Amino acid sequence: MKTYQPRVAAIHDISGFGKCSLTVALPILSAAGIETSVMPTAVLSTHTGGFTGFTYRDLTSDLVSFAAHWKSLNIPFDAIYTGFLGSFEQLNIISQFFEDFKSKDNLILVDPVMADHGQLYSLFNMQFVKGMRTLCEKADIVVPNITEACLLTDTKYEEGPYSTEFIEKLVNKLVEIGPQKVVLTGVYFDDDQLGATTFDKQENKVEFVMGEKIPGFYHGTGDVFASALLSGLLNNFKLKDATQIAVNFTTASIRRTYEAKTDVRFGVNFEQSIPGFLKDLKLV
Ligand code: PXL
């Protein structure tokens, strides 16, 4: 029987409706056998992608007291996983959190949530992008989409299909920021397949991990993907294999949502893809 249980600090907002951030990260990591502590960065009634009139409660000041309390308890984390941050000031607070909770062999995963489809989310500006780049310097692994990668590396955004040259240049520029590993999402070279590109500085190797490309733009898929990727890594899969597991899980969740003709703002049906995900993780 496996007795060691990895523990993650998940630092994201909680959006009440529209499956993303903590309402996605928590169930996925838990299903993968990982103990998940949460530090909510903001509370919203829905995510900000396509809904109007959402409520927004910024929890910046709570982060400082959360971190101080956790520090006093000396809680060890196997990974620190950040996503949507609620304000510019949170970048500094999280950076300090990394300093306080970094250990010899834990993993800092930064998903630089701030943009998609060539556009910054409504709450962010270029000052935030600069701050996010500084935060990425401290990460072991970053998981941006193409828009975020372009913003972080001062690259002109392009619509796909992409050339391998464009993608390879982008992952090389991302690694220059500082992380040892990069997983770039939303990569496609034709209309049939979509997936991710991985780059590991130590192995100096770019890999392409593809799945089925399903029509439409689905909300929250970046969070589903990053949570599944981290689940794979903490279950001791290598970067490429963990990425394949995350691509399979995200693709299966999108396919169910597409078949059901669900409003794309409502998030994807990842819940009913969990059995296949656990098989891929060799947990069942
Ligand atoms: O899934 C990314 C995300 C997370 N949190 C909030 C968002 C978004 C994307 O729009 O609005 C609040």
Side-chain angles (χ1 to χ4, degrees), residues 13 15 20-21 44 46-49 56 84 113 121 123 219-223:
D13 73 283
S15 293
C20 67
S21 40
L44 296 84
T46 67
H47 61 68
T48 66
Y56 191 90
F84 181 99
V113 176
Y121 293 144
L123 299 168
H219 286 269
T221 49
D223 299 331

Side-chain angles (χ1 to χ4, degrees), residues 185-278:
T185 64
V187 173
Y188 64 105
F189 304 110
D190 55 45
D191 282 335
D192 299 329
Q193 289 196 307
L194 183 141
T197 301
T198 66
F199 185 62
D200 190 327
K201 207 172 185 173
Q202 227 165 17
E203 295 172 11
N204 196 24
K205 205 159 144 198
V206 178
E207 310 252 25
F208 301 99
V209 181
M210 307 308 281
E212 181 194 9
K213 186 173 187 302
I214 299 152
F217 294 129
Y218 298 82
H219 286 269
T221 49
D223 299 331
V224 170
F225 179 88
S227 304
L229 173 74
L230 183 59
S231 300
L233 294 172
L234 292 176
N235 277 289
N236 300 317
F237 286 87
K238 293 219 164 88
L239 184 64
K240 187 183 177 196
D241 298 329
T243 302
Q244 186 68 65
I245 291 169
V247 166
N248 294 350
F249 181 52
T250 311
T251 306
S253 307
I254 294 173
R255 172 141 284 287
R256 269 175 221 285
T257 310
Y258 173 73
E259 301 283 348
K261 300 188 173 59
T262 312
D263 185 328
V264 295
R265 298 173 304 170
F266 291 11
V268 292
N269 181 350
F270 70 90
E271 296 92 336
Q272 291 177 329
S273 305
I274 284 177
F277 173 54
L278 298 189

Side-chain angles (χ1 to χ4, degrees), residues 140-161:
D140 298 305
I141 173 164
V142 293
V143 189
N145 61 34
I146 305 257
T147 308
E148 289 155 352
C150 288
L151 286 165
L152 289 169
T153 61
D154 277 325
T155 305
K156 189 172 172 296
Y157 174 74
E158 283 184 25
E159 295 280 342

Side-chain angles (χ1 to χ4, degrees), residues 42-189:
V43 182
L44 296 84
S45 52
T46 67
H47 61 68
T48 66
F51 296 110
T52 53
F54 51 82
T55 68
Y56 191 90
R57 185 174 299 274
D58 173 20
L59 296 182
T60 303
S61 56
D62 296 69
L63 295 194
V64 179
S65 13
F66 254 67
H69 187 212
W70 285 3
K71 195 154 184 257
S72 75
L73 297 171
N74 267 326
I75 306 168
F77 292 108
D78 297 281
I80 302 165
Y81 167 31
T82 72
F84 181 99
L85 303 183
S87 69
F88 181 76
E89 298 77 65
Q90 289 189 6
L91 290 161
N92 275 335
I93 298 167
I94 304 300
S95 180
Q96 185 58 47
F97 187 93
F98 289 172
E99 299 286 324
D100 291 344
F101 289 89
K102 178 77 199 152
S103 69
K104 197 164 58 60
D105 36 36
N106 69 0
L107 181 75
I108 297 181
L109 187 153
V110 172
D111 181 353
V113 176
M114 56 187 176
D116 209 352
H117 311 304
Q119 288 212 306
L120 269 175
Y121 293 144
S122 57
L123 299 168
F124 301 124
N125 57 25
M126 288 311 287
Q127 189 198 13
F128 186 87
V129 172
K130 228 174 128 199
M132 184 57 91
R133 188 179 307 144
T134 307
L135 193 68
C136 288
E137 288 172 13
K138 294 198 171 169
D140 298 305
I141 173 164
V142 293
V143 189
N145 61 34
I146 305 257
T147 308
E148 289 155 352
C150 288
L151 286 165
L152 289 169
T153 61
D154 277 325
T155 305
K156 189 172 172 296
Y157 174 74
E158 283 184 25
E159 295 280 342
Y162 300 101
S163 64
T164 49
E165 204 190 346
F166 177 79
I167 297 298
E168 283 181 3
K169 263 197 195 147
L170 208 45
V171 289
N172 272 292
K173 284 199 215 168
L174 285 164
V175 159
E176 276 169 23
I177 294 175
Q180 285 293 316
K181 295 182 172 82
V182 167
V183 179
L184 178 64
T185 64
V187 173
Y188 64 105
F189 304 110

